[in-house]
Each structure stands twice: as structure tokens, then as C-alpha cells.
Amino acid sequence: MLKGRLTFKHADHQETYEAGDAYYGPPGHVPEVTAGTEVVEFSPAEEYRRTREVIARNFAALQG
């Protein structure tokens, strides 16, 4: 985390990260990002591609 706040909501708990923290986002979490947050993420390319596809489908569904 470079700046801001990121919270991962899980079925049974939530985890919040702030500037200077490192994090791992396992499958099954719902992210909540504070405006102005800046992060650098590292992920295996194939897994990240699949994640981006899910995010794109979810945003499309929200838009109707």
C-alpha cells in the first residue's frame, strides 16, 4: 500500500490495510477501496487475467 486504505471483506471477518502494509487477497473477498488509494500489486499473470475477467463481469452486471 502506497497510500489510502483497502479493506477486504470476507464472510466471517474483514481485514484493513493502510500505507506501508503488504497484503494478500485470497479468493472470496470483496474489496472496498477508499478514494485516493494507491497500491502496487504483484500476481502471477494467468491468475491476474482471470481475476480481471471476473471484475469486468461484475462491473458490467452492476451497470445493468
Side-chain angles (χ1 to χ4, degrees), residues 2-57:
L2 300 177
K3 71 177 195 177
R5 179 176 294 160
L6 169 65
T7 300
F8 288 152
K9 296 182 178 188
H10 303 269
D12 60 347
H13 72 285
Q14 66 182 28
E15 300 169 1
T16 299
Y17 304 95
E18 296 179 332
D21 291 340
Y23 62 87
Y24 168 70
H29 69 276
V30 176
E32 181 179 285
V33 182
T34 302
T37 295
E38 294 180 10
V39 300
V40 175
E41 294 189 325
F42 300 91
S43 184
E46 180 57 26
E47 289 179 24
Y48 191 64
R49 182 191 63 75
R50 289 193 309 260
T51 298
R52 299 298 299 166
E53 288 176 355
V54 170
I55 291 169
R57 284 195 306 269

